[in-house]
Amino acid sequence: VDYYDYYLMHAQDRHIYEKFKKCHAYEIGKKLKEEGKIKHLGISFHDSADVLDLILSEQPDIEVVQIQFNYIDYLNSGVQSKAVYEVCRKYNKPVIVMEPIKGGSLVNLPEAAKKVWDDLNQDCSYAGYALRFCASHEGIFKVLSGIGTMDQLVDNIKTMKDMKPFTAEEYEAVNQVRDILNSLGGIPCTSCRYCTEVCPMQISIPDLFGCFNGKKIFNDWNAGYYYSVHTKTGGTPEQCLQCGQCESVCPQHLNIIELLQE
């Protein structure tokens, strides 16, 4: 290609941002934009709201920010979706949403949560509610949804082609669903897989966390089967060396060593 429409500085957090500054990455990005190779310069971000505030104050050339944003992480103290989004609004930066359905978790809901949506008696899927929650917020520029089937693609297009903003009733419903999910516990892993790239024991950490959540939150009878699948080709939690490399690269800042023990 001759140019990129959007070029994002990847996975900015407090430490990676310092590395990018030392490498003069932002100056290079600005130069590439001046040369016409980049139309819009942006970042993807994984950290607390105060760090994003610092970055945007120091880098006024940033034009767009990609953040993790969904209704379960909206008030999560680790992800800080709401607070991070509000920083984007403070600086008037368009927002690209990643993880709007939280890796499929907001589709594979427990029965109590499904009932809340079903009681609304609307022609909207569980994924549709998750996408519309994001798109209903002012300043949301794009919502990125991972899909695995043609039916999911059709449903996404149907939802967004004639996107109807959330009503007061739907915001109340999402609060109920959030409360139900938060009451169930679980590990807030988004399967970015940075941890697996550095694990010396090749432990498939996100997959094992997914099995754990499936069993604990969604009562997934298949969780035990998948646990055995993921430990056949990789290490088991018991084999963790507690080296900490996984925790150093986790965008969610999870206590992975402790969670593996659990």
Side-chain angles (χ1 to χ4, degrees):
V1 296
D2 296 320
Y3 64 90
Y4 292 104
D5 287 304
Y6 292 86
Y7 189 92
L8 307 186
M9 301 293 180
H10 183 55
Q12 298 294 279
D13 62 18
R14 189 183 306 273
H15 301 293
I16 294 176
Y17 174 59
E18 291 300 321
K19 177 182 177 181
F20 273 53
K21 284 203 296 184
K22 290 178 181 178
C23 295
H24 304 288
Y26 285 90
E27 289 85 350
I28 294 170
K30 184 177 180 180
K31 181 175 181 291
L32 291 172
K33 183 180 176 183
E34 291 170 352
E35 295 173 356
K37 295 178 180 177
I38 295 172
K39 297 300 182 183
H40 302 284
L41 183 66
I43 63 171
S44 62
F45 181 78
H46 287 285
D47 210 323
S48 57
D50 63 312
V51 175
L52 180 59
D53 200 310
L54 171 68
I55 294 174
L56 294 182
S57 67
E58 292 185 349
Q59 306 295 338
D61 292 323
I62 291 174
E63 298 175 80
V64 64
V65 181
Q66 180 173 308
I67 66 172
Q68 181 171 321
F69 191 87
N70 57 68
Y71 66 70
I72 196 64
D73 287 327
Y74 190 66
L75 300 177
N76 182 287
S77 59
V79 180
Q80 297 187 15
S81 284
K82 180 175 184 288
V84 168
Y85 162 77
E86 288 173 346
V87 172
C88 295
R89 298 303 301 146
K90 172 184 174 182
Y91 288 90
N92 198 31
K93 304 296 183 181
V95 174
I96 300 174
V97 171
M98 56 180 154
E99 300 288 349
I101 311 176
K102 199 170 174 61
S105 297
L106 303 185
V107 171
N108 302 311
L109 296 166
E111 291 305 316
K114 288 180 179 178
K115 186 176 185 305
V116 173
W117 292 128
D118 293 345
D119 286 348
L120 294 179
N121 292 315
Q122 296 181 162
D123 183 23
C124 186
S125 66
Y126 304 135
Y129 283 117
L131 294 174
R132 286 179 51 235
F133 171 84
C134 299
S136 294
H137 285 73
E138 185 178 357
I140 299 295
F141 172 54
K142 291 189 183 297
V143 181
L144 308 180
S145 173
I147 57 172
T149 68
M150 181 60 71
D151 287 343
Q152 291 172 0
L153 176 61
V154 170
D155 181 60
N156 280 12
I157 293 173
K158 174 187 173 184
T159 299
M160 300 302 288
K161 187 175 183 180
D162 184 26
M163 209 294 291
K164 296 179 175 61
F166 252 39
T167 63
E169 183 183 28
E170 288 173 319
Y171 277 117
E172 176 57 32
V174 90
N175 289 335
Q176 294 177 40
V177 172
R178 186 189 296 121
D179 289 343
I180 291 169
L181 294 176
N182 285 336
S183 71
L184 300 175
I187 302 171
C189 170
T190 63
S191 299
C192 69
R193 313 199 76 81
Y194 297 154
C195 57
T196 60
E197 295 174 4
V198 298
C199 178
M201 301 307 293
Q202 296 184 311
I203 300 172
S204 189
I205 297 167
D207 299 318
L208 300 187
F209 284 175
C211 294
F212 180 88
N213 287 350
K215 191 170 185 178
K216 186 172 184 179
I217 299 179
F218 302 111
N219 197 28
D220 182 4
W221 64 272
N222 236 355
Y225 170 78
Y226 280 104
Y227 180 91
S228 65
V229 170
H230 295 307
T231 52
K232 282 180 182 176
T233 56
T236 64
E238 293 84 353
Q239 293 174 305
C240 172
L241 301 176
Q242 301 187 20
C243 66
Q245 293 187 72
C246 54
E247 294 186 357
S248 70
V249 298
C250 177
Q252 312 304 321
H253 308 295
L254 300 177
N255 297 319
I256 294 176
I257 295 171
E258 291 183 13
L259 291 170
L260 284 175
Q261 292 173 345
E262 184 179 356

